[in-house]
Amino acid sequence: MPANSSRPAPSDSAAPFRIGLATSRSHQHGQESALAQLLNGSRQIIEQQLQPRLVVVGRTLDAMQQLGLLPGYPHIERFPYGRHGGLMKLVSRVVDADPARTLDAVIYLMDPVDPSSTFPEAVALKRQCVIHGKPFLSTLAGALEWLELEAVAAGAAPNPLLDPTFDLAQEGIALIAHDAMKERMLAIAERHFALLDQFAFRCATGTTGSLLNQLAQKIKGEEAGRNWVKPFLSGPLGGDAQIAELILDRQQCRRVLFLEDPHVARQHEADIQLLERAARTVTDYALCISDAECGERWLSLLQQRAALAKP
């Protein structure tokens, strides 16, 4: 994992986060838009606690100015409109080794019915984040949670309005891994078993679910661990679609840890996209973490934040 993506949140002696920011057009209009909810909801975190450098694509920055979001915030770099290469430049910054230029995370609030969400630069942006172990946050819920977790890690007081989402006894999580990532998923699940065991509901696709139940039987005992995870069909046979329905119906599956292998061609690419599309459809509810490095840090910070939640 690159050092800049695993480092702790900034302090007086640490460089601030550099965050790429873009949104689909439908998320830019009005004070109820996802963009406005994100920046208004996280204004204190951004302005006072993390103070990140924001690298913002042109139309998104125009919308921020029109809506009066983060007025006077000094740490903003403007990138061109998407049609002039703004998203392509974000991809370049994700992979840049220069700590003064590289991005530590990307927030791209995506509308699944906007064709631009499938443009090559949008796909490449997510893929390079996965490859380089940097958070790619494509839903409002995911961006809000990530900022909250990093702020608390930096010493900020938790936002009590978010406490209900961190009451894990009322929450569910999906655990999914491609073939090359199944061993990594098992290792992560074993390291964070105490946290995952707090969730009211766990589900997984195909073989991953069976392997996780075997792990739970080893840790909790054969009977107690037998149904620790609810297994659905394998991804190619429709398991991703089954979990997508839970997300769309807001049924105990707010969070998805989906360990993708970005280096192989996948015959069931449409099924993978369907699951991500479901999370983006209910952008204020669901989030999806797509790589092991970010997943490790996310689960560690989730444990810290969940301990502070007041049910």
Side-chain angles (χ1 to χ4, degrees), residues 115-144:
S116 66
S117 65
T118 62
F119 285 180
E121 55 266 44
V123 175
L125 184 58
K126 183 211 167 180
R127 181 174 181 272
Q128 291 302 330
C129 283
V130 171
I131 289 172
H132 291 270
K134 298 182 178 183
F136 180 81
L137 306 153
S138 63
T139 69
L140 172 60
L144 287 170

Side-chain angles (χ1 to χ4, degrees), residues 104-187:
D104 299 298
V106 171
I107 297 174
Y108 183 8
L109 302 182
M110 303 175 78
D111 178 354
V113 301
D114 186 333
S116 66
S117 65
T118 62
F119 285 180
E121 55 266 44
V123 175
L125 184 58
K126 183 211 167 180
R127 181 174 181 272
Q128 291 302 330
C129 283
V130 171
I131 289 172
H132 291 270
K134 298 182 178 183
F136 180 81
L137 306 153
S138 63
T139 69
L140 172 60
L144 287 170
E145 177 160 301
W146 182 76
L147 288 166
E148 169 77 359
L149 293 179
E150 292 294 349
V152 171
N159 180 353
L161 295 177
L162 297 179
D163 277 356
T165 68
F166 292 106
D167 180 8
L168 302 186
Q170 306 299 321
E171 296 287 319
I173 187 169
L175 303 167
I176 305 169
H178 289 143
D179 288 345
M181 303 301 294
K182 292 190 190 303
E183 288 301 319
R184 187 69 183 274
M185 174 64 85
L186 288 175

Side-chain angles (χ1 to χ4, degrees), residues 15-256:
F17 280 115
R18 296 181 62 86
I19 302 173
L21 177 60
T23 61
S24 296
R25 290 193 186 191
S26 63
H27 288 324
Q28 300 173 356
H29 303 303
Q31 292 298 335
E32 296 303 315
S33 66
L35 177 63
Q37 290 185 61
L38 171 65
L39 298 182
N40 286 331
S42 302
R43 182 172 178 177
Q44 184 173 344
I45 290 174
I46 293 170
E47 293 183 337
Q48 300 177 26
Q49 294 158 359
L50 295 182
Q51 298 182 4
R53 307 285 182 180
L54 299 177
V55 182
V56 188
V57 173
R59 189 178 301 279
T60 299
L61 185 54
D62 289 348
M64 289 170 57
Q65 294 168 344
Q66 291 165 5
L67 295 171
L69 304 173
L70 299 182
Y73 186 68
H75 310 303
I76 293 179
E77 178 181 355
R78 183 187 185 96
F79 264 14
Y81 280 42
R83 65 175 179 270
H84 295 147
L87 284 179
M88 298 179 199
K89 291 186 68 175
L90 286 184
V91 179
S92 177
R93 290 292 183 92
V94 166
V95 306
D96 200 316
D98 184 348
R101 289 170 50 85
T102 193
L103 296 177
D104 299 298
V106 171
I107 297 174
Y108 183 8
L109 302 182
M110 303 175 78
D111 178 354
V113 301
D114 186 333
S116 66
S117 65
T118 62
F119 285 180
E121 55 266 44
V123 175
L125 184 58
K126 183 211 167 180
R127 181 174 181 272
Q128 291 302 330
C129 283
V130 171
I131 289 172
H132 291 270
K134 298 182 178 183
F136 180 81
L137 306 153
S138 63
T139 69
L140 172 60
L144 287 170
E145 177 160 301
W146 182 76
L147 288 166
E148 169 77 359
L149 293 179
E150 292 294 349
V152 171
N159 180 353
L161 295 177
L162 297 179
D163 277 356
T165 68
F166 292 106
D167 180 8
L168 302 186
Q170 306 299 321
E171 296 287 319
I173 187 169
L175 303 167
I176 305 169
H178 289 143
D179 288 345
M181 303 301 294
K182 292 190 190 303
E183 288 301 319
R184 187 69 183 274
M185 174 64 85
L186 288 175
I188 289 173
E190 187 165 15
R191 276 193 292 275
H192 298 277
F193 191 86
L195 170 71
L196 295 172
D197 198 42
Q198 294 177 43
F199 280 89
F201 174 78
R202 292 159 297 275
C203 63
T205 53
T207 305
T208 304
S210 298
L211 293 172
L212 287 169
N213 278 333
Q214 291 174 27
L215 172 67
Q217 288 179 301
K218 183 179 74 172
I219 295 173
K220 298 181 62 131
E222 183 174 351
E223 197 59 37
R226 187 184 305 278
N227 298 309
W228 189 69
V229 165
K230 179 177 181 178
F232 285 104
L233 296 171
S234 69
L237 294 179
D240 294 325
Q242 291 178 303
I243 293 176
E245 183 177 9
L246 293 181
I247 295 170
L248 291 168
D249 290 344
R250 300 174 185 251
Q251 291 182 2
Q252 289 187 297
C253 199
R254 184 190 306 277
R255 296 173 175 91
V256 179

Side-chain angles (χ1 to χ4, degrees), residues 287-311:
L287 63 94
C288 186
I289 305 296
S290 300
D291 72 277
E293 287 84 358
C294 295
E296 289 269 17
R297 179 167 177 82
W298 171 62
L299 290 172
S300 295
L301 298 186
L302 189 60
Q303 174 76 67
Q304 179 181 348
R305 181 60 179 84
L308 300 173
K310 297 178 180 178

